[in-house]
Every structure is written in structure tokens, then in C-alpha cells.
Amino acid sequence: GAGVSQSPSNKVTEKGKDVELRCDPISGHTALYWYRQSLGQGLEFLIYFQGNSAPDKSGLPSDRFSAERTGGSVSTLTIQRTQQEDSAVYLCASSLDSGQGAGEQYFGPGTRLTVT
Amino acid sequence: KQEVTQIPAALSVPEGENLVLNCSFTDSAIYNLQWFRQDPGKGLTSLLLIQSSQREQTSGRLNASLDKSSGRSTLYIAASQPGDSATYLCAVPEGGGSNYKLTFGKGTLLTVNP
């Protein structure tokens, strides 16, 4: 079956603009995660979804970052008033949350965000 | 707070050599440990997942071991090939319940020379 997909693959935006990043998880995966990968920081957790709710938003770096998930499937990560330090690769992952295979995460190809 | 360390940061070997990548973690109360591969400009590909009750997992030329009590895992690659060149990352879940958010090491950049 299809893996995790993300769009766009690349996004260049001007400082101060808003951007939306999209993630389509593997069908049937109830857990969805967003991570950020930047040169100096490595891979960092941003937010976790269980179904449509987000019980763990502890990794979101500021209130300019928000995310939602609808229908237990597609998720959108929104960054408002982008800053140059937001430049990074944003990765989405999904997994089962119970039973055999629970917690094994499958990653999408990422969205490379460049803020100029 | 869980911390994951990978040694070495970079490794260059000739084709055909067997090699070992190391991963250590500070909190031994882990649910599982996952090894990933990342090619330049690409996402992460899951290589092996070891459950906390397991000592090792094998897939083809890859063998991953886990020693929870000492907080260590190794990834053994046999008969390395140029196509194995990539960054290898290990990660452990840190969340509890059904939240398996991952804490990653900074990776080992592997170059296999023909």
C-alpha cells in the first residue's frame, strides 16, 4: 500500500508569510507525528496526534506553530509569520498505536522549508 | 529526559568491510528502539525495530542488538556496499501510553568507498 506522503516537497517563502504543510499518513494508522530536522538541532519532535486530537504539543517551538488533523487522516502543520529560523525539513510519520507493530513509525519524504 | 548518542559521527570504509554503528541512551526504560536510514535530501527509512523484550533483530546484511540494562544498541552491517552510504539514525520512544514520540541521536554518516 501507499506510504506516508507529504506536500509540497519544497517550499520557499518570504519572512512574515504563513505556510501550510500537508501530511497523508498510512491508511489505518491512528497515530501521527510531526518532526523537524534542522542542521544544528537534528531531528526534533513537534506534535503527536491520536486520531483527531493532539494530546502532546510539547515540541511546538512557539505559538506561531499549529497543527490539525481531520477525519483521523490528513494533517496540516501551519506556521504563521514565518521567520528565518523556521527553515528546516519538516517530517511527518504515522504508526499504529496498539497491537503488534504499535509504535513503529513510518516517515514521509519531508517538506523542505526555506524562509528568505 | 532521554538523551540518545551515536558514535562515531562519521565513518568511511572500503567496500566489503563489516562495520558496527553504536547508539546509547540514558533512560533504559524504553519500549523499543528503531534504526533508520536517511539518504541525502530524503525522508527516513525504517531498517529495524527491536522490542524491549528482544536482544536482536536481523534483516539481510543488517543485525541490530539491544542491551537495555547498559543503555546500548549496535547496528552491524556485513559486507558493506557503496549503496549502504547514508546517515544512520537510532531513536527511542519517549511518551508513555500510546504516545511513541521519538528521541533521535544525531546520526552516523557512513561512506562506503568502491
Side-chain angles (χ1 to χ4, degrees):
Chain A
V4 179
S5 62
Q6 292 185 247
S7 61
S9 55
N10 280 285
K11 177 72 176 178
V12 180
T13 190
E14 292 180 353
K15 178 181 171 181
K17 301 282 190 183
D18 297 352
V19 294
E20 283 190 354
L21 313 179
R22 177 187 167 107
C23 171
D24 277 279
I26 291 173
S27 178
H29 280 189
T30 50
L32 186 148
Y33 304 81
W34 284 97
Y35 297 87
R36 180 169 73 171
Q37 187 173 33
S38 52
L39 275 176
Q41 301 298 323
L43 261 157
E44 301 174 298
F45 165 80
L46 296 178
I47 187 169
Y48 156 64
F49 282 93
Q50 172 62 35
N52 290 335
S53 64
D56 188 350
K57 306 178 183 179
S58 62
L60 294 179
S62 76
D63 59 8
R64 296 185 296 103
F65 287 72
S66 63
E68 65 174 11
R69 189 179 184 194
T70 56
S73 181
V74 172
S75 177
T76 303
L77 177 69
T78 301
I79 309 173
Q80 296 179 309
R81 305 181 302 281
T82 51
Q83 303 293 313
Q84 287 185 331
E85 61 262 29
D86 300 335
S87 296
V89 176
Y90 290 82
L91 292 160
C92 174
S94 70
S95 76
L96 296 170
D97 63 2
S98 63
Q100 186 157 358
E104 182 169 8
Q105 294 186 28
Y106 297 85
F107 281 76
T111 294
R112 180 174 298 277
L113 175 66
T114 304
V115 182
T116 61
Chain B
K1 184 178 184 291
Q2 179 75 270
E3 291 183 4
V4 179
T5 304
Q6 291 188 245
I7 295 173
L11 181 63
S12 181
V13 300
E15 181 177 4
E17 194 161 297
N18 302 326
L19 57 100
V20 174
L21 308 181
N22 297 289
C23 172
S24 62
F25 43 94
T26 54
D27 185 349
S28 62
I30 61 171
Y31 179 76
N32 61 41
L33 184 144
Q34 207 165 347
W35 281 94
F36 295 91
R37 167 188 174 134
Q38 186 173 33
D39 293 284
K42 305 289 186 183
L44 276 63
T45 300
S46 180
L47 296 173
L48 289 164
L49 180 143
I50 312 177
Q51 299 291 351
S52 61
S53 58
Q54 297 176 316
R55 300 276 304 177
E56 63 179 85
Q57 276 281 11
T58 298
S59 175
R61 294 182 294 107
L62 305 180
N63 175 277
S65 68
L66 174 63
D67 184 342
K68 270 187 58 176
S69 61
S70 66
R72 292 179 185 173
S73 176
T74 61
L75 180 67
Y76 175 83
I77 303 177
S80 58
Q81 302 171 358
D84 295 331
S85 298
T87 296
Y88 291 79
L89 296 149
C90 71
V92 293
E94 180 184 23
S98 59
N99 179 359
Y100 298 96
K101 65 179 179 182
L102 294 173
T103 298
F104 285 86
K106 294 204 183 297
T108 294
L109 175 60
L110 173 65
T111 303
V112 181
N113 301 300

